[in-house]
Amino acid sequence: MTGKSAWIRDVRRGQRPAAHLIFFPHAGGSASYYRPFAAHLGDRFDVSAIQYPGRQDRWNDPFVTSVEGLADEVVARLSPGDTTPLVLFGHSMGACVAFETARRLAELGRPAPRRLVVSGRRAPSMPREEYLHLGTDEQLLAEVARLAGTDDQLLGDPEVMRMILPAVRNDYRAVELYRPPADCVLDIPLLCLNGDADPRVTREEATAWKAHTVADFHEETFTGGHFYLADHPAAVCRAVARFTFGE
């Protein structure tokens, strides 16, 4: 599957939307994880989610091995003729892909997204040397379990995990080797969301996103860990709506 429908999965499309919200999943994640959030978003939003290759119905599609490459693929499938303002929402690895997507749209002279929402990810100017993608299957599984973003039943099924792990490893490699210029800046209002007990992102690392926009910057913190948004879907969507429409 290589067309737009392979990459950009429509969750809900309306007649006259005020904005088009696109979710960019986390490492190992899929578009379906974000479908339930549409129920908490008003009719002013069209809602879509990105489906990376190598998972679910894209099982046989070759991996894209870098954050930049993923952003290139997404941009190639965003129609220049669609005038609905974009809102990009990226969680964890998805925050990096959404950020790079916004950068590319600006570089191409395309209409910039109306808003960028980054969640559960440190700023590009705060890199760490991490090499989990070089670890054993057991080490990767332990990290997935620690972050509590995968159903325990799946984690306990060796056959399912054997199928999932290649995509997880590829995504970790992409995001761990991601090294954008530390001074890259957008002219797009940016909202940074985080869980107050996220083991992967410190408050300093989250707040550093402020340096990557010359437009407005807002930050909201929720109770919870790396996947805090699963515990607060309605509140997260309200925060996005307030940020998008200035309410």
Side-chain angles (χ1 to χ4, degrees):
M1 298 177 68
T2 58
K4 176 185 176 183
S5 62
W7 282 87
I8 304 176
R9 303 298 172 89
D10 289 341
V11 178
R12 186 185 67 216
R13 301 302 292 262
Q15 294 295 319
R16 301 178 65 182
H20 182 188
L21 175 62
I22 303 178
F23 286 103
F24 290 71
H26 50 282
S30 62
S32 60
Y33 182 90
Y34 296 88
R35 296 184 73 88
F37 287 84
H40 301 286
L41 292 161
D43 292 339
R44 288 179 293 179
F45 283 108
D46 274 352
V47 183
S48 300
I50 302 300
Q51 183 78 312
Y52 306 133
R55 65 211 71 205
Q56 293 187 338
D57 60 339
R58 300 197 67 191
W59 175 255
N60 292 318
D61 290 356
F63 292 130
V64 176
T65 58
S66 70
V67 165
E68 294 87 348
L70 288 166
D72 287 338
E73 295 286 354
V74 172
V75 168
R77 289 160 178 84
L78 289 172
S79 172
D82 189 346
T83 58
T84 305
L86 289 176
V87 179
L88 308 184
F89 183 118
H91 179 66
S92 196
M93 180 188 80
C96 301
V97 183
F99 180 71
E100 287 296 324
T101 298
R103 286 185 67 200
R104 278 153 175 73
L105 289 171
E107 290 168 358
L108 291 170
R110 300 263 295 272
R114 179 171 180 167
R115 299 288 188 270
L116 174 64
V117 184
V118 294
S119 168
R121 181 67 191 176
R122 60 184 178 273
S125 53
M126 303 290 281
R128 293 184 198 169
E129 294 299 319
E130 295 179 315
Y131 300 98
L132 269 168
H133 69 279
L134 297 176
T136 65
D137 288 353
E138 289 73 21
Q139 288 170 324
L140 269 178
L141 282 172
E143 177 66 6
V144 170
R146 182 173 80 102
L147 297 181
T150 303
D151 189 282
D152 289 342
Q153 288 186 329
L154 294 181
L155 288 172
D157 188 323
E159 183 65 20
V160 170
M161 294 315 299
R162 183 187 67 79
M163 296 172 63
I164 292 174
L165 273 175
V168 173
R169 188 179 297 278
N170 176 76
D171 290 354
Y172 269 83
R173 178 173 61 243
V175 75
E176 288 180 345
L177 298 181
Y178 174 56
R179 292 290 184 276
D183 60 351
C184 53
V185 176
L186 298 172
D187 188 7
I188 302 169
L190 193 154
L191 171 64
C192 179
L193 304 178
N194 279 288
D196 62 1
D198 190 336
R200 299 287 294 170
V201 185
T202 68
R203 179 66 187 277
E204 179 187 13
E205 290 171 331
T207 302
W209 278 102
K210 184 176 183 178
H212 295 280
T213 180
V214 295
D216 291 340
F217 174 81
H218 301 269
E219 184 180 5
E220 291 199 35
T221 302
F222 296 82
T223 58
H226 191 63
F227 285 94
Y228 72 90
L229 67 174
D231 298 323
H232 307 284
V236 167
C237 290
R238 284 195 297 270
V240 172
R242 285 195 304 270
F243 177 62
T244 301
F245 300 116
E247 299 170 348

